[in-house]
Amino acid sequence: MKVAIAGGGISGLACAWYLQQAGIEAVVFDPAPGGPIGTLTVEGCLLETGPESWLAAKPWAETLIKELGMGDQLIGSNDAKRRTYVLRHGRFETLPEGLQMVVPTKVLPIVKTELFSWNTKLRMGLEVLRSPKLMPDRSVAAFVADHFGQEAVDYLAEPLLAGVYGGSPDDLSAASVLPKFVEYEQRYGSVVVGTLRDRRPPAPPSANGAKPGIFKALRYGLGSLIDALRARVTIIPARVESVAPGETADDLWRVYAGGEWYPFDRLVLACGANNAAPLMAPVEERTADLLGAIPYTGSAIWTLGYRREDVPHALDAFGFLVPRPERGAIMACTWLNTKWEGRVPDDKVVLRCFSTNPDTTQEAVELDLGRLMNITRQPLFALRHRWPDSMPQYIVGHTARVAELEARVARIPGLFIAGNAFRGIGIPDCVKSAKTAAEAIARTQTP
């Protein structure tokens, strides 16, 4: 069996590796494998071009890394200094301790915080009295406002989710983005009660007694994961321009890339739903429509390096979030010196600024840093990594659309899908999606 994989991001590369482990030949088509994931070193600072980490609670990326023999390179975030600020009325307020995404689980931090008004705090307290309710899919904004009020949408849900999905809670689907909390609403009424009942024990400390980091990364950057996968799989450096059903039972698919047609037994679309839709349009119109119904937004990551003495603000947190009512160019900023040990020399500061506008300028970013962190000096370096149409949006109705899409794909012989557009957007979710596709392909082998 020979498998074509359209798209060489983490999903496509991981899928090829898992197929190879199953003894199945796979070829990845991509002119620039790795997608947004990449690592570079500037002025002694280790920098990421795209995502910088993943949530440690999701195991699939870590499992893959260990299978690749890179387990000794896993590192955790510096959680002894973990804190996140949220801008409110032009001041940094600490995100209260005990929050599980948008759900408060500790009383005292909520009572003491100045991030929320007393009306919102009272509403959060009374939320535990709600009765179970079965609701149709609705937006994250509607879900959070129903439970905790509009202020919780503006100063909690919106800034938290904008950094992950690059979208608006007014559009994102609660069932797809917050499925666990929707389940709690149905079972208990109160998402606070559900979260407390389902609370897992904390992970044990490491051998040196340190608490494990909530975020995981690789010592030499996430680009080292891409390098390891690229070295182990077969890649044709060309974009898939067209696909067509094969002409025989032995060759179910033909792939056109780099000016040439290639025959394959199976095809995996791991190139993003937005890129897969036009490929499928001549093959199966409804499948193409469902892929095309998943909208995308873009982003820009500006990474600025400064002399330590040129940054007057205390770097006493992982960084800050800027809610929509207070937002300029930057919607989130990570202070690398604090979040990761050993990535930035002591005499420098690196600020990683995230914007949902791919065309955000350096001037606009520096203006925001001046306003928010009192930085008036020019940076030593400033790098922009622009990723247009890179972030799939799980808008209202997403779960139903994906269920129909997966059902239709299952009826098309030899076709499979993988990637972050369907059931999870982070690196672990991509790896899980890749492994699921590879296992499904392996099951189709004839003995």
Side-chain angles (χ1 to χ4, degrees):
M1 183 187 295
K2 191 173 182 181
V3 181
I5 301 175
I10 183 64
S11 302
L13 293 173
C15 186
W17 189 82
Y18 282 121
L19 287 169
Q20 180 179 292
Q21 296 305 109
I24 298 171
E25 183 180 359
V27 178
V28 175
F29 289 86
D30 198 309
I37 299 177
T39 304
L40 65 159
T41 301
V42 179
E43 299 257 357
C45 306
L46 188 73
L47 311 176
E48 302 284 12
T49 62
E52 61 161 8
S53 62
W54 66 88
L55 283 171
K58 295 187 174 185
W60 306 290
E62 183 170 340
T63 299
L64 171 63
I65 286 163
K66 290 179 177 177
E67 291 169 349
L68 289 166
M70 301 172 65
D72 59 340
Q73 298 180 32
L74 285 161
I75 61 172
S77 50
N78 184 21
D79 278 18
K81 298 181 178 179
R82 178 160 61 91
R83 177 192 303 181
T84 300
Y85 288 124
V86 179
L87 194 70
R88 181 77 201 251
H89 300 317
R91 295 175 51 195
F92 284 147
E93 302 292 348
T94 302
L95 200 64
E97 184 183 353
L99 284 172
Q100 298 290 319
M101 185 61 79
V102 297
V103 179
T105 63
K106 293 185 177 181
V107 174
L108 192 57
I110 292 296
V111 171
K112 294 172 66 175
T113 185
E114 294 187 30
L115 186 59
F116 306 122
S117 66
W118 280 106
N119 284 339
T120 297
K121 293 175 185 181
L122 179 61
R123 187 156 182 174
M124 287 178 169
L126 295 175
E127 199 270 348
V128 299
L129 303 177
R130 290 173 62 102
S131 300
K133 185 183 298 185
L134 184 63
M135 298 283 289
D137 189 16
R138 62 202 196 276
S139 72
V140 168
F143 178 86
V144 174
D146 184 24
H147 284 263
F148 304 119
Q150 185 61 38
E151 194 173 43
V153 176
D154 293 338
Y155 287 90
L156 187 59
E158 193 279 332
L160 283 172
L161 295 175
V164 177
Y165 292 90
S168 167
D170 298 327
D171 303 318
L172 294 171
S173 157
S176 296
V177 172
L178 304 172
K180 182 170 62 174
F181 301 125
V182 170
E183 179 190 348
Y184 294 157
E185 179 184 60
Q186 296 169 357
R187 290 170 59 191
Y188 306 109
S190 165
V191 296
V192 173
V193 170
T195 302
L196 291 172
R197 289 191 180 184
D198 197 34
R199 179 181 287 177
R200 294 172 175 82
S206 60
N208 62 6
K211 292 183 179 180
I214 191 173
F215 299 104
K216 287 288 184 74
L218 288 169
R219 180 172 292 110
Y220 306 111
L222 296 186
S224 60
L225 171 58
I226 298 300
D227 292 341
L229 289 169
R230 289 179 64 169
R232 288 166 167 82
V233 304
T234 302
I235 298 171
I236 293 179
R239 183 177 65 87
V240 172
E241 299 176 44
S242 183
V243 300
E247 297 175 348
T248 69
D250 295 328
D251 295 319
L252 286 174
W253 288 96
R254 292 182 298 132
V255 170
Y256 185 75
E260 184 177 350
W261 282 100
Y262 298 85
F264 288 94
D265 302 295
R266 305 288 186 270
L267 170 63
V268 181
L269 298 177
C271 52
N274 52 344
N275 295 314
L279 294 178
M280 287 305 298
V283 178
E284 216 279 334
E285 185 177 357
R286 178 57 182 166
T287 299
D289 288 344
L290 289 166
L291 288 164
I294 300 173
Y296 278 70
T297 62
S299 65
I301 298 169
W302 276 100
T303 307
L304 288 79
Y306 293 89
R307 298 177 189 86
R308 183 64 188 88
E309 60 267 25
D310 291 342
V311 178
H313 201 285
L315 301 177
D316 55 354
F318 278 9
F320 61 84
L321 303 171
V322 185
R324 187 164 47 191
E326 317 234 359
R327 189 171 301 157
I330 300 173
M331 69 80 43
C333 179
T334 300
W335 299 342
L336 261 61
N337 300 59
T338 308
K339 188 173 182 179
W340 304 105
E341 292 185 347
R343 293 203 166 189
V344 182
D346 291 341
D347 63 342
K348 294 184 178 67
V349 168
V350 173
L351 307 176
R352 176 183 155 95
C353 304
F354 180 82
S355 174
T356 52
N357 176 8
D359 298 316
T360 295
T361 65
Q362 180 179 343
E363 181 183 13
V365 170
E366 289 189 40
L367 188 66
D368 259 13
L369 291 176
R371 173 175 67 97
L372 301 173
M373 296 182 65
N374 298 317
I375 298 174
T376 58
R377 298 296 185 91
Q378 290 296 306
L380 295 170
F381 61 82
L383 306 175
R384 181 179 72 167
H385 293 97
R386 183 176 178 273
W387 303 112
D389 300 324
S390 60
M391 306 179 76
Q393 300 296 289
Y394 292 10
I395 60 174
V396 173
H398 180 81
T399 301
R401 279 189 292 274
V402 169
E404 182 185 352
L405 172 64
E406 291 173 340
R408 297 193 76 90
V409 168
R411 294 196 293 268
I412 301 174
L415 180 66
F416 302 84
I417 55 176
N420 67 351
F422 311 114
R423 295 189 177 275
I425 202 166
I427 291 175
D429 301 298
C430 291
V431 173
K432 181 184 180 183
S433 173
K435 187 174 185 179
T436 299
E439 290 172 344
I441 291 169
R443 289 194 295 269
T444 68
Q445 288 190 102
T446 54

